[in-house]
Each structure stands twice: as C-alpha cells, then as structure tokens.
Amino acid sequence: MKNFTLEEALRLDSLKGAQLIAGRIEEESLVRYINVMEVPDIADWITEYEILLTTGYPFQHVEMDWKKFIQTLSKKKLAALAIKTDRFMKDIPEELLETAALLNLPIIKLPHDAKFDIIISDVLREIVNQDYKYIKKGLSIHRTFTDLILSGGEYKEVLNALSNILGCESGIVSNDNPNIETTSFDYDEKDRMNVVKKPIRVNEELVGYLIVRTHSKASKEMEEIALERAVDAIAIIYMKKLSESLVERGYVNKYLNELVDGEIKSKKAILERGEYLGFDLGRKYVVMVIDIDSFGRVIEDKFLDNKEKVFGILKNLFQLVFSTFFTTAKDSIVWDRSDSIIILYPIDNLKKDNKDHVKREMLRIARNIKEKIDQHIDDFTVSIGIGTYYDDIMDIHKSYDEAIQARRFGKKIWGENRVYHYDDIGVYNLFVKGNSKESLKNYLERHLGNLLKYEEESDRKLLETLRHLVMNDFNYSKTGDDMFVHPKTIVYRKSRIQEILHVDLDNFDERMTIYVALKIRDIIDQL
C-alpha cells in the first residue's frame, strides 16, 4: 500500500504556509490519524502515526515539563505536533524545540489563518483514499490467485503471477515432499539478506517455502498481502495434488497387495497392469517387509491420545524408506500396508544363480536401511523380514510369505529390532508348511505336556535345563556353566525330566523328538 505520508500532508491546500521548525520528516513518515489537543495530559489518547493539532490553549494555565512532554509524544510514535501560534501561544518554548530536534519529532508551525476543521477533513480524505486504493489492490491480488486456482493453475503459474505483482523473482523450495517441487532462482549466501522465505504449511505440516527477492518496488504491506495470497494458493494446489496422489496411491497399493497375496492368477494381467502403473514386473525381485516392533504397545504407551502423531510417524517412516530406496535403487517398488512397509527389490544385477550371494546382498541392504531408520527415528524400533528369490513373477507371493514368516518367527527366536532372512529360520519352516496349528499343539502336548504341567505346579527350572541341555548337545559341564550350577545338579535334573516325560534322553531319536517339541513351543503362538 502507498501510505499517506507527512510530506504529502504538508502539500495539502489547507496546510499551505505550514513550516517544519524542529525534527525531521522521513521518507516513510506515515500519517494514519489526525486529532485536536484539548487537554495537556493527552498522552493516553494518542494513536501511532497521528498528527496532533493545537492552538496552545491547553498549556495556558499549566506549568509544563516540555522535555518530558515531547519524550512522551515521541514514544507514542506521534506523526507530528502542529501548533497554531499568536493567539494562545505567542512563542514555542525552546526546550520543546530542542527536545523535538534531538528525538526527530516533527514540530509544525501553522499559519495564523489555518482552519482545523478543513485540515482534518483534507487529511482524513487522503487517508481514506489511500485505504481504498489499498483495499482495491488487495482484492485484485486475491482475485488473481483465486482465478488461477479455479482455472487449474499449477505452482509455476502462481510464481509467475507473484513475480508480475511484485516485480521480482520468486520460487519454491520443497521440504523433501513429493507433491511439491523445488523451482527456485539461484542465490548464494551473499543474497540471503535480500531474500524472504515464507513457510508453506498444510495441516500444520511444513511442506516447503515460498521465496522472493526483496528488491520489490511494491510497499511492504502490499508485498505481504501478495505473499500471503501466493502461499494460500500454493497450499491449495498442494492439497489438490495430495488428494490426487492418495487416490492413485490407493489404487496402486490395492494392485500391489493383490500381487503379493497371489490373487492375480494371470501373468499377462500382472505385467499389463504393472506397466500401466509404471512398474516393470518382467524384472526379478525379492520381497522385504519392514514392521514396527510391538506397534500396538508403542501407540498405547506414547501416542494413545494423539492419533495425528501416529499418522505422522508412519508417514515419516515411509518417506524415509522410500527416499532411501529411491536413492540406492530407483526401480525398487515401495508401498505401505497398515503399519508395515513392503519392498520389491530388483536383483537383476546380482548373481541370481548364486543364492548365497543374493542372500548376503539382501541382508546388507536391509541392515543399511535399518541403520538409517534407527538414526532418524527414536519413537520405536523396526524388524525386517526377507524372502528368497523366485524367477517367475507369478511366485512373488511366495517371497512375500517367506518375508512375513522370517519376520514373525525371527522375532520369536532372536527377539525384536533385527533383520531376518527366511533361510535362517531353518527347521521352523518344516513346522509351518503342511501342519495345522492344532496338529502342532497336539505334538507339543504329547511330547512336552507333562513337563509343562509340572513346571506350572512346582519347579520352573526343569524346562530351562532341558533347553540348555539340547543347546549344548547334552554336555553337563557346559550346561552347568550356563546355568551357574554344578554339573551333578544338571545330571539330577536330567533324571527328573526323563521320569516326568517317560523318555530316554540318551536315545538319539527321543532327543530329536524333544528338540522338535521345543522348537514348536517357540513358535506356536505366532501361527
């Protein structure tokens, strides 16, 4: 807005003959109001950027502290003190003039024929005219960006419109957000003092910055209005793009979930739909699944009353994983499913005929991504399951199932917050394939049931002893060291276990039976 200034006010006909006798008129000495001084203690009623008119009448019968009076007016940011002399104030006190000069407060001497009513009318008319121009220009700016949005304008059109309004360069800096791209002008550290950055926030999320050079010829107020309207326009375009991407992402996720669930029975359909969505599923992939450890407990302990933060955390995790794989392997296919993230990692460049090589590389890649997640996220830990390689895309659901099993049983066997490969869960694979949970429960009850019941009722150390014996190939000394007891105690406990289970643990076949039963107990709750 081109503000009405004191210099312009003094050019009005009603102020013809007025003289500046103290202080200084700055280029930006604004005038927003005008008033008449009727009492000496006027300070409490003064408004910033106000011209105060007086005949000196309020000072007639009052002993004034002129220094303090002028200091108070200066603190109140008075535009000017205009005094009409001759009738009530013959001379303007020197102390008043000296203090005003020191503080650069303009003191105006009015001619003897100055009429306050006409001065007030003229000044207010100019202020209203300037306000009208300001409002009109603001509405014009608002209409420009509104029309742009309604006509389907993009970020580039917003920046062009802003540059035309302000007469300066403008750009956008993305905050690593896929729905808003950086389109900034070049500037270095020397330029930073001349560049304004306005944050672009959508639902309290910082998605980027609008930047402009500040050598604009527009006034600061008009510049601020233009920037605010431009930020609003960019935020609306962002929300539109986000909505479109969410719809597209939902369709993509549905297809990918159907793919790894084995629901698409035609290879032609897999390849054609994949090509339509931008995926080359003629390539070779291995599946990884990243899962938040104890997700329900994490929410209950930390975010029960803040669901928005939960969504934010999941979003941050996805963006971190997506950006990492996009950097290391652009052809990776990454999507989220509930609190998990699924990755189809292309292995065309690996030695596919060497399973050990593929496994080592996949473990290396998974550990790298887990390390990056651990560095950037403190609210929870993650575990990663990895499937094996299948040559035909029709079998990709098998790699996915294996990744799920590796993650599920790996957590049970080795604990959370790790990376697990399907090949490493060994004998557990046999239990899962071709056996119902009920049959495994029956096996467990038949071969370990008596000991489990005994443990509940009395000595809880026998089952632990049995585990250590199996792990140590029935070495009594090693088992004793592990459990901090004498080997003879282990021998006695072994004898009690044999009596309770009615087995001979020196017999290889019966040892193997007990070993399998212990392994089933480890995983039965995960089935």
Side-chain angles (χ1 to χ4, degrees), residues 305-320:
D305 299 324
N306 194 344
K307 291 183 179 179
E308 288 185 4
K309 187 165 185 180
V310 175
F311 294 137
I313 287 171
L314 292 175
K315 182 178 178 182
N316 290 342
L317 175 62
F318 178 79
Q319 287 181 343
L320 177 62

Side-chain angles (χ1 to χ4, degrees), residues 219-392:
S219 68
K220 292 298 181 184
E221 292 84 354
M222 197 55 64
E223 181 181 278
E224 188 64 27
I225 286 179
L227 290 175
E228 288 178 0
R229 296 292 79 79
V231 166
D232 291 343
I234 291 169
I236 292 171
I237 294 172
Y238 171 85
M239 291 179 69
K240 177 186 173 185
K241 288 184 176 292
L242 178 62
S243 177
E244 292 171 350
S245 69
L246 288 175
V247 171
E248 181 180 346
R249 181 173 159 190
Y251 180 75
V252 170
N253 284 11
K254 182 176 183 295
Y255 162 72
L256 292 172
N257 288 337
E258 290 175 355
L259 175 67
V260 296
D261 288 340
E263 295 178 5
I264 308 176
K265 305 302 181 183
S266 164
K267 186 171 184 178
K268 181 181 178 182
I270 289 176
L271 296 176
E272 287 181 351
R273 286 178 64 187
E275 183 179 6
Y276 174 76
L277 295 172
F279 304 131
D280 181 5
L281 293 174
R283 302 182 64 180
K284 314 303 179 186
Y285 296 93
V286 168
V287 179
M288 289 187 200
V289 177
I290 301 175
D291 185 54
I292 297 176
D293 293 327
S294 306
F295 186 56
R297 190 179 72 241
V298 170
I299 293 177
E300 186 176 339
D301 291 347
K302 296 185 177 181
F303 311 113
L304 192 59
D305 299 324
N306 194 344
K307 291 183 179 179
E308 288 185 4
K309 187 165 185 180
V310 175
F311 294 137
I313 287 171
L314 292 175
K315 182 178 178 182
N316 290 342
L317 175 62
F318 178 79
Q319 287 181 343
L320 177 62
V321 173
F322 180 84
S323 62
T324 300
F325 277 99
F326 184 78
T327 302
T328 56
K330 291 185 178 181
D331 297 326
S332 298
I333 301 173
V334 183
W335 75 100
D336 59 315
R337 189 174 195 177
S338 184
D339 60 317
S340 299
I341 296 174
I342 305 169
I343 302 104
L344 301 189
Y345 191 87
I347 60 167
D348 304 77
N349 296 328
L350 303 182
K351 300 174 183 177
K352 297 184 289 296
D353 55 341
N354 187 331
K355 289 188 175 182
D356 288 339
H357 173 72
V358 173
K359 176 184 173 181
R360 283 195 305 272
E361 283 301 299
M362 295 307 299
L363 283 170
R364 180 186 63 79
I365 292 163
R367 285 167 183 151
N368 286 343
I369 185 62
K370 175 163 172 34
E371 182 179 350
K372 184 161 286 191
I373 292 171
D374 292 343
Q375 289 173 352
H376 289 82
I377 297 179
D378 299 324
D379 294 306
F380 54 80
T381 60
V382 300
S383 295
I384 303 178
I386 307 171
T388 60
Y389 160 67
Y390 289 87
D391 189 63
D392 194 337

Side-chain angles (χ1 to χ4, degrees), residues 25 37 79 107 210 212 223 242 254 265 353 389 459 485:
I25 299 178
M37 181 176 181
I107 305 297
L210 171 64
V212 296
E223 181 181 278
L242 178 62
K254 182 176 183 295
K265 305 302 181 183
D353 55 341
Y389 160 67
D459 194 341
V485 297

Side-chain angles (χ1 to χ4, degrees), residues 155 172-177 180 199-202 204-209 234-235 238 315:
Y155 297 128
I172 295 173
V173 176
S174 174
N175 191 32
D176 294 329
N177 195 296
I180 189 167
I200 304 167
R201 298 184 185 277
V202 176
E204 298 185 359
E205 178 191 0
L206 178 65
V207 299
Y209 295 92
I234 291 169
Y238 171 85
K315 182 178 178 182

Side-chain angles (χ1 to χ4, degrees), residues 108-169:
I108 309 296
K109 184 177 180 180
L110 298 174
H112 69 277
D113 59 346
K115 295 178 174 58
F116 284 7
D117 56 342
I118 298 178
I119 293 172
I120 291 172
S121 176
D122 287 353
V123 169
L124 289 179
R125 183 185 67 248
E126 292 301 317
I127 292 172
V128 170
N129 285 343
Q130 293 289 2
D131 285 348
Y132 173 72
K133 292 176 184 176
Y134 174 77
I135 292 169
K136 188 177 179 181
K137 181 63 175 176
L139 288 173
S140 174
I141 291 173
H142 177 74
R143 192 177 299 112
T144 295
F145 288 113
T146 301
D147 291 346
L148 193 152
I149 292 168
L150 293 177
S151 64
E154 296 289 341
Y155 297 128
K156 185 177 180 180
E157 284 77 12
V158 172
L159 296 178
N160 289 339
L162 182 62
S163 295
N164 289 335
I165 292 168
L166 299 181
C168 61
E169 292 179 286

